[in-house]
Amino acid sequence: MKKSTEQLQLLEQVKQIADGLGQTFAPFCEVVVHDLLDPKHAVLAIHNNLSQRDIGQPATELGLARIIDPDFDQIIANYPNKFADGRQVKSTSIGIKDTSGNYIAALCMNVDLTLFHGFQNAMNQFLAIDSAKKPGESLDPAGADAIRARIDQFAARLASSPRTLKTRERKQLLQELKESGLLEVRRSMEIIAEHLGVSRASVYTYVK
């Protein structure tokens, strides 16, 4: 199929985006551009080739589904997948349409989860504690973990971290902690100040 100027330009832009994503997320993320206008030779570009595919290989079932149905989901994110050798993968596929509303390409990202599972297992082992060996004392006042967890949850809701919260957000946080009764915990102001990276005096101003 002969491609129009618009389609060629779109494909070139998608290739540039794929190149940038590939460089950013190397070496854990494979980034592939599929040319859906040429399904028999769909793989147009591939960066961080974790699947060991070749340029010019045919379209996948997902690509063929988009060719057949312009109303097929444009974004399918974070779905489970596997490489040919059995490695677990988290994949995202983004369909690219032209001005006529037809799919002409797909930008796909495949994250190899093998190394991350290794990190996770190592961290789980490192963080494991033996509660049977509890010595009968605690370095932290009761409720301190609950305060920190509540602060972390609040920051996560804002796609932020405790130490980067803005003043108005800290005031809102303190109001929520007050309403939940967590300010009654012994040394609560000190715990909050340490977790936010501010002075206790500042915490007192937020709660007013």
Side-chain angles (χ1 to χ4, degrees):
M1 177 187 295
K2 186 176 181 179
K3 302 177 179 72
S4 68
T5 301
E6 176 207 356
Q7 291 169 336
L8 289 170
Q9 289 175 341
L10 278 172
L11 286 171
E12 184 58 33
Q13 289 303 308
V14 175
K15 286 172 64 178
Q16 294 301 316
I17 292 169
D19 189 3
L21 289 172
Q23 293 184 50
T24 300
F25 296 111
F28 312 112
C29 180
E30 174 185 87
V31 185
V32 187
V33 178
H34 297 270
D35 179 356
L36 301 184
L37 297 174
D38 188 8
K40 291 184 178 180
H41 311 90
V43 177
L44 185 62
I46 185 164
H47 304 276
N48 308 324
N49 194 350
L50 302 175
S51 60
Q52 300 303 308
R53 282 177 286 178
D54 297 318
I55 300 296
Q57 284 190 229
T60 62
E61 292 181 4
L62 185 55
L64 294 174
R66 285 197 171 111
I67 293 171
I68 295 169
D69 182 10
D71 294 325
F72 194 89
D73 290 343
Q74 191 157 8
I75 299 176
I76 303 177
N78 300 322
Y79 62 91
N81 208 343
K82 280 187 178 181
F83 289 134
D85 60 6
R87 283 173 293 163
Q88 289 187 320
V89 178
K90 181 173 76 169
S91 296
T92 291
S93 177
I94 305 167
I96 309 298
K97 293 183 176 183
D98 60 17
T99 53
S100 298
N102 296 313
Y103 284 112
I104 67 163
L107 175 64
C108 300
M109 293 174 287
N110 302 306
V111 179
D112 184 352
L113 298 179
T114 308
L115 184 58
F116 294 98
H117 283 155
F119 286 155
Q120 185 179 45
N121 292 335
M123 288 301 296
N124 287 341
Q125 182 176 350
F126 180 74
L127 294 172
I129 58 173
D130 189 346
S131 58
K133 297 179 180 178
K134 188 175 180 180
E137 65 175 356
S138 173
L139 301 177
D140 236 2
D145 285 343
I147 292 175
R148 297 186 189 104
R150 190 65 174 266
I151 294 173
D152 289 340
Q153 291 167 7
F154 179 89
R157 289 201 326 251
L158 300 175
S160 183
S161 64
R163 290 177 176 251
T164 58
L165 291 172
K166 298 178 174 59
T167 299
R168 58 180 175 77
E169 294 168 343
R170 291 171 182 168
K171 290 181 178 180
Q172 181 183 347
L173 166 65
L174 265 293
Q175 186 61 37
E176 290 188 14
L177 292 174
K178 181 177 181 180
E179 291 172 357
S180 63
L182 288 172
L183 294 189
E184 304 301 319
V185 172
R186 182 171 63 88
R187 292 181 50 234
S188 62
M189 293 302 190
E190 181 178 340
I191 295 164
I192 295 167
E194 289 176 353
H195 209 55
L196 293 180
V198 298
S199 66
R200 276 185 290 178
S202 295
V203 175
Y204 280 107
T205 63
Y206 299 148
V207 81
K208 291 181 180 178

